Amino acid sequence: NAGVTQTPKFRVLKTGQSMTLLCAQDMNHEYMYWYRQDPGMGLRLIHYSVGEGTTAKGEVPDGYNVSRLKKQNFLLGLESAAPSQTSVYFCASSSWTSNGNEQFFGPGTRLTVL
Amino acid sequence: TQLLEQSPQFLSIQEGENLTVYCNSSSVFSSLQWYRQEPGEGPVLLVTVVTGGEVKKLKRLTFQFGDARKDSSLHITAAQPGDTGLYLCAGARGDYKLSFGAGTTVTVRA
């Protein structure tokens, strides 16, 4: 049981390049999320999904796109990377329980855009 | 602006001392969670509090949810170097999303 996995772990891009971050979970969770973490700003929600085939915008969606074609996978795309997108990206998944929405996080992807 | 304000931002203490981290908001939450994050890793859930006034204990960690469900605190008794990390609070308002505080970096010196 691997939980939530993310690939790649590190990536360096040049401005204008594109890339896709992959998140996979093996806990059969309905909900999946992409966050970015910047110093002093906590975790900010980029996009999320409440089920296969559905996605929604979070707090900071501009410059990112997502897809959830399979329940276990959630992809985050950057079409034209900008230096402002240099950050650590975390994927999380969850199911609704009696305690509400308890999220499980992946190990993160550290992205640098030059 | 953060929906949840955490204080202090940084905390450095000696092993064996006690510490308290605060998480405050003007909004009401249906539940509040605390996560701990170590360098190079993702956050890991410590506890969820759901009832106003609720107190939960996890070994040397005590979590409290305010009566009005707008604030929470994390108290660590006799801190150890293994308690070092970034502590994040996150509030839920009944939908699928969590709002995170900016975090408190705790360093426990041996």
Side-chain angles (χ1 to χ4, degrees), chain A residues 41-94:
Chain A
M41 301 190 73
L43 290 162
R44 292 184 293 168
L45 183 64
I46 304 171
H47 286 281
Y48 65 102
S49 168
V50 300
E52 181 179 325
T54 71
T55 62
K57 293 180 180 180
E59 182 185 353
V60 288
D62 294 342
Y64 305 95
N65 56 77
V66 288
S67 64
R68 186 137 180 236
L69 300 179
K70 294 183 178 180
K71 185 177 183 179
Q72 64 268 32
N73 296 336
F74 195 28
L75 278 64
L76 177 71
L78 285 73
E79 291 184 346
S80 180
S84 61
Q85 294 178 303
T86 293
S87 187
V88 182
Y89 292 85
F90 288 99
C91 175
S93 70
S94 68

Side-chain angles (χ1 to χ4, degrees), chain B residues 51-98:
Chain B
T51 306
E54 181 177 6
V55 176
K56 279 191 174 179
K57 292 192 175 184
L58 187 68
K59 296 184 181 178
R60 294 175 293 98
L61 279 62
T62 302
F63 304 86
Q64 185 162 8
F65 202 11
D67 290 340
R69 289 186 288 127
K70 293 182 179 182
D71 55 85
S72 181
S73 64
L74 157 62
H75 182 78
I76 301 179
T77 303
Q80 298 177 0
D83 296 323
T84 293
L86 176 66
Y87 289 83
L88 296 159
C89 65
R93 292 191 286 177
D95 60 8
Y96 305 106
K97 297 177 286 185
L98 293 176

Side-chain angles (χ1 to χ4, degrees), chain A residues 31 33 35 37 40-45 48 50 57-59 90 94 96 98-108 110, chain B residues 1-2 9 31 33 35 37 40-45 47-48 50 56 86 88 92 94-103:
Chain A
Y31 316 135
Y33 308 82
Y35 295 90
Q37 186 174 39
M41 301 190 73
L43 290 162
R44 292 184 293 168
L45 183 64
Y48 65 102
V50 300
K57 293 180 180 180
E59 182 185 353
F90 288 99
S94 68
W96 203 263
S98 59
N99 277 340
N101 183 1
E102 295 179 330
Q103 297 187 6
F104 294 81
F105 285 81
R110 184 173 295 275
Chain B
T1 349
Q2 303 274 162
Q9 188 176 359
S31 67
Q33 300 169 10
Y35 292 80
Q37 184 179 17
E41 299 181 7
V44 175
L45 180 67
V47 77
T48 301
V50 297
K56 279 191 174 179
L86 176 66
L88 296 159
D95 60 8
Y96 305 106
K97 297 177 286 185
L98 293 176
S99 296
F100 281 83

